[in-house]
Amino acid sequence: MQSHIGRVVRVTALVAVMFLVVAPASAGNLKIFGAYLDSGDVGSFGGAGARYASSDTLGWEIGVTGYLESDEIDFGELDIDSDSIDTIAWDLGARVSISELFFFSVGVSYFQFDADYGHVEDEWGYYGTLGATMGGKTFRFFIEGMYRDIEATIEYRDFDIVEDAVALDIGGFGINAGLEWRF
């Protein structure tokens, strides 16, 4: 588990540094947040992320969220009682501010998976958010509800022969909360 946390921290730090370098060249905002996702078949994920939006009113956004170890997968007939899956979601979407306080966004996500026992191919999905911000002109607190839609198949192999493949509904409702820096 320590290596999974280290990987998410490194990816989030890399994206945050990239955004901090790009940020002064444009008007927008940068969010650093904690994340929670309650998915269909896989259980719940906790994690962290960073997202850059090109504008406070109408624009595009790009971000990354690392979800750590959902281990509520039970596969009945297989010899494996449970598995653990880590997920990194790379997001690209459009953001609209309804007012100074409220916003929503929609977009596509590229999901990278890492399973302890099985193999999961990376997949595409989509997301939508509805959120609110509060605070000063530069630094603000935000909270947003999120829905992610993604399906994947986990394959269990023995000597490179696929023994079983299980379809997973990994999408679901979640919540992100953290700090927003407007510039």
Side-chain angles (χ1 to χ4, degrees):
M1 173 151 165
Q2 188 69 348
S3 67
H4 300 299
I5 293 171
R7 185 176 71 172
V8 169
V9 168
R10 285 191 304 273
V11 168
T12 302
L14 175 67
V15 170
V17 167
M18 179 184 73
F19 291 149
L20 289 173
V21 169
V22 173
S26 65
N29 63 60
L30 174 67
K31 295 178 180 176
I32 305 293
F33 55 90
Y36 173 81
L37 177 65
D38 187 16
S39 71
D41 293 339
V42 186
S44 59
F45 290 93
R51 188 178 310 135
Y52 170 78
S54 66
S55 172
D56 288 335
T57 55
L58 174 63
W60 55 269
E61 66 180 15
I62 185 170
V64 62
T65 306
Y67 296 105
L68 298 176
E69 287 198 10
S70 175
D71 57 3
E72 298 179 19
I73 307 170
D74 188 13
F75 294 107
E77 296 178 15
L78 295 178
D79 291 336
I80 300 168
D81 291 331
S82 68
D83 197 354
S84 175
I85 296 178
D86 295 333
T87 305
I88 296 177
W90 297 90
D91 301 324
L92 177 62
R95 177 184 166 167
V96 176
S97 292
I98 302 168
S99 69
E100 173 76 16
L101 300 176
F102 301 103
F103 65 91
F104 70 91
S105 63
V106 294
V108 296
S109 299
Y110 181 73
F111 290 83
Q112 294 177 300
F113 298 103
D114 180 32
D116 287 345
Y117 301 114
H119 173 74
V120 185
E121 291 291 327
D122 297 344
E123 297 286 345
W124 288 91
Y126 65 88
Y127 72 94
T129 68
L130 179 62
T133 64
M134 58 201 104
K137 287 191 176 266
T138 304
F139 293 100
R140 302 175 67 88
F141 173 77
F142 82 95
I143 188 166
E144 64 187 11
M146 173 176 258
Y147 178 78
R148 288 193 179 276
D149 185 47
I150 177 69
E151 292 181 6
T153 300
I154 188 164
E155 297 176 345
Y156 291 97
R157 299 176 180 187
D158 187 14
F159 302 107
D160 291 329
I161 300 171
V162 176
E163 290 186 355
D164 203 354
V166 178
L168 300 174
D169 177 10
I170 298 175
F173 289 97
I175 190 165
N176 299 330
L179 297 175
E180 177 181 81
W181 172 43
R182 292 183 176 189
F183 37 89

